[in-house]
Amino acid sequence: MPPTEGETVPDFEALLCDGETFRSTRLSDALGERGGVLVSTGFVHSAIAQNWWKRFEKYGWHEFDGVPVLGFSRDGPYAQNEFLRWLGVDAFRTFADVNGGISERLDLLTDRHHMANVSTPWRSVFVLDPDRNAEFAYVADEWIAPLPHEEVEAAVADL
């Protein structure tokens, strides 16, 4: 089961991309003083990822005080950095989950029946306190489900 509200999200280490560089970083080290927002949007250059991340900017998520927005997707670090440059928001960072270790650790992987031998993570968002406790958890139950941004913003405000 993916993490739910009140549970501690497992720590992990992966390449964290900032649009220019990437460094192996633990989730616990990437969180801000108040926590963080951890988002899975599938592949970074997918229409859903482009739509969601542009909306995050529109909602002002890049201005959360002490609460970074951290994505993760199955793309490699060069694709992640290219996506972040395309997005043009310096505050957003993404983890490269190339082998699906993050997605597996969070129990988000699902088989894509129309794509032979391919598993991808469900779209999801977790608002975490500095100790990785999930103050809000959402896992979509369909591929194009909209993100409940108001609930995310309320949870961030309560951190």
Side-chain angles (χ1 to χ4, degrees), residues 4-147:
T4 59
E5 289 178 30
E7 293 182 351
T8 301
V9 169
D11 206 5
F12 58 79
E13 186 171 351
L15 296 176
L16 183 62
C17 306
D18 65 9
E20 295 299 325
T21 64
F22 50 87
R23 288 185 171 59
S24 186
T25 305
R26 297 197 72 72
L27 171 62
S28 54
D29 293 333
L31 296 174
E33 61 188 45
R34 294 177 45 220
V37 178
L38 183 63
V39 180
S40 169
T41 56
F43 294 97
V44 290
H45 288 287
S46 70
I48 291 172
Q50 290 178 0
N51 181 311
W52 275 26
W53 284 94
K54 280 296 186 183
R55 287 181 186 270
F56 300 164
E57 178 185 15
K58 178 182 169 188
Y59 301 147
W61 288 16
H62 57 294
E63 297 174 347
F64 287 154
D65 184 32
V67 183
V69 178
L70 306 163
F72 67 93
S73 81
R74 297 290 300 270
D75 301 281
Y78 296 106
Q80 302 270 356
N81 277 336
E82 181 183 337
F83 178 76
L84 290 169
R85 286 191 299 273
W86 170 83
L87 190 58
V89 180
D90 292 340
F92 294 146
R93 294 177 290 160
T94 57
F95 285 100
D97 188 24
V98 178
N99 294 321
I102 298 170
S103 302
E104 186 175 332
R105 190 116 186 184
L106 300 179
D107 199 22
L108 293 171
L109 285 178
T110 186
D111 290 331
R112 300 298 297 267
H113 299 293
H114 59 284
M115 299 168 69
N117 302 315
V118 174
S119 296
T120 58
W122 284 106
R123 276 66 171 158
S124 57
V125 61
F126 304 93
V127 176
L128 309 176
D129 72 10
D131 296 319
R132 300 184 332 276
N133 296 315
E135 300 299 322
F136 176 80
Y138 169 79
V139 178
D141 57 1
E142 59 183 66
W143 292 111
I144 59 171
L147 180 75

